[in-house]
Amino acid sequence: MALSYLKTQLAELELEINEACSKASRKRDEITLIGVTKTYEADVMNASIAYGITDIGENKVQEITRKYDQIVKGVKWHLIGHLQTNKVKYIIDKVDLIHSVDSLRLAEEISNRAQKIDKIQDILIQVNVADETQKSGVSPDSVIELVQEISQLKNIKVCGLMNIAPFVDDPETLRSDFKVMKGLFDRLNDIKADNVEAKFLSMGMSGDFGIAIEEGANMIRVGTRIYGKRNY
Ligand SMILES: *Cc1c(COP(=O)(O)O)cnc(C)c1O
């Protein structure tokens, strides 16, 4: 079958994930691998699921709604891209974890929509560590305050933090940003609220997942290394 390249790619990726885990004295089963399937169609996605992918990540609402019914059931869906308030209603019944919450207003809309379908929506707070102006995410200084505000909302659970590292030639230069993320992540548990629990630290992509794992990531979002280069 033509899609068997996915099996090879996944096997190679697993070797490297395991290598990073042993370097950091961590266990492989602490880490959730999210296959980032943006621009890929359902046949590719379903093949990767057959080869072991349990979690898929999409960065656009439209791609989730378009492909949702074609994907085998039981897989977990992650929204990893920017989410506009007016689009929450399209995905609230579909996604297991929203990685990209960066304002109280968005969190309020998520909570309201979740309440309508009797759901507690798991979310992460997106942090803009490198303070890149073109990127979404809250500044490290504002994270704790935002989580405190969001913790007042009824139908949301804050499960951790997410970061999109800038594209760099040498991923080693990202290590200090990842350390900042881990420091913030550890501080989340100081917030005493029933709906705040530091479970997931989502950082690391194709170019930098090894260093992210070494610095404490337990969710990595990998696209290119599994599915190949994207054609937009
Ligand atoms: C596309 C994307 C990824 C995966 O990037 P690769 O470099 O292809 O692994 C991870 N996270 C987010 C938010 C993305 O949009």
Side-chain angles (χ1 to χ4, degrees):
M1 171 175 149
L3 290 170
S4 60
Y5 74 92
L6 292 167
K7 190 180 182 183
T8 320
Q9 304 267 78
L10 277 168
E12 281 170 12
L13 178 61
E14 273 305 323
L15 285 179
E16 282 183 44
I17 294 173
N18 276 298
E19 205 175 296
C21 285
S22 52
K23 210 166 156 185
S25 305
R26 300 182 63 192
K27 294 200 188 72
R28 170 63 184 91
D29 65 11
E30 287 172 32
I31 318 280
T32 301
L33 169 62
I34 300 173
V36 177
T37 49
K38 60 189 180 202
T39 78
Y40 284 94
E41 291 306 320
D43 57 338
V44 177
M45 293 168 68
N46 284 330
S48 72
I49 293 164
Y51 292 130
I53 287 290
T54 56
D55 291 69
I56 54 182
E58 290 282 350
N59 70 335
K60 290 202 177 116
V61 165
Q62 303 91 294
E63 274 197 80
I64 295 179
T65 54
R66 185 169 63 78
K67 296 189 278 195
Y68 190 77
D69 285 335
Q70 304 170 53
I71 302 305
V72 293
K73 298 295 163 237
V75 75
K76 289 205 171 88
W77 287 80
H78 298 257
L79 180 68
I80 59 176
H82 180 66
L83 176 59
Q84 285 173 282
T85 309
N86 63 356
K87 292 193 175 156
V88 172
K89 55 179 179 284
Y90 301 121
I91 47 103
I92 194 72
D93 59 336
K94 299 182 176 63
V95 294
D96 294 279
L97 185 61
I98 299 172
H99 291 228
S100 48
V101 177
D102 62 356
S103 72
L104 181 60
R105 196 172 142 258
L106 176 58
E108 282 169 344
E109 173 66 5
I110 292 170
S111 185
N112 288 340
R113 292 286 173 180
Q115 192 177 12
K116 288 198 168 86
I117 59 165
D118 214 8
K119 180 184 189 185
I120 305 291
Q121 178 65 58
D122 288 347
I123 65 156
L124 304 179
I125 305 298
Q126 182 175 351
V127 187
N128 186 353
V129 195
D131 206 14
E132 296 171 282
T133 45
Q134 78 279 19
K135 258 185 204 155
S136 323
V138 287
S139 78
D141 295 344
S142 321
V143 171
I144 300 298
E145 197 188 324
L146 179 61
V147 174
Q148 269 160 345
E149 289 170 345
I150 292 177
S151 75
Q152 309 295 315
L153 303 174
K154 283 207 160 52
N155 286 68
I156 262 190
K157 180 164 185 188
V158 180
C159 299
L161 304 178
M162 177 268 221
N163 162 252
I164 304 175
F167 182 79
V168 291
D169 289 329
D170 178 10
E172 190 58 44
T173 60
L174 301 171
R175 196 180 283 279
S176 57
D177 285 356
F178 291 150
K179 281 188 202 291
V180 171
M181 287 296 295
K182 179 65 164 71
L184 287 169
F185 180 70
D186 291 339
R187 280 178 60 202
L188 278 192
N189 281 331
D190 297 342
I191 299 172
K192 298 291 172 230
D194 290 343
N195 58 349
V196 178
E197 187 188 352
K199 281 200 289 191
F200 303 124
L201 181 54
S202 168
M203 56 186 194
M205 322 200 302
S206 288
D208 55 26
F209 65 85
I211 288 169
I213 289 171
E214 285 173 40
E215 296 304 331
N218 60 15
M219 252 183 187
I220 57 173
R221 310 177 308 266
V222 181
T224 315
R225 278 296 306 272
I226 300 171
Y227 300 96
K229 214 163 168 291
R230 289 177 287 270
N231 290 310
Y232 286 97

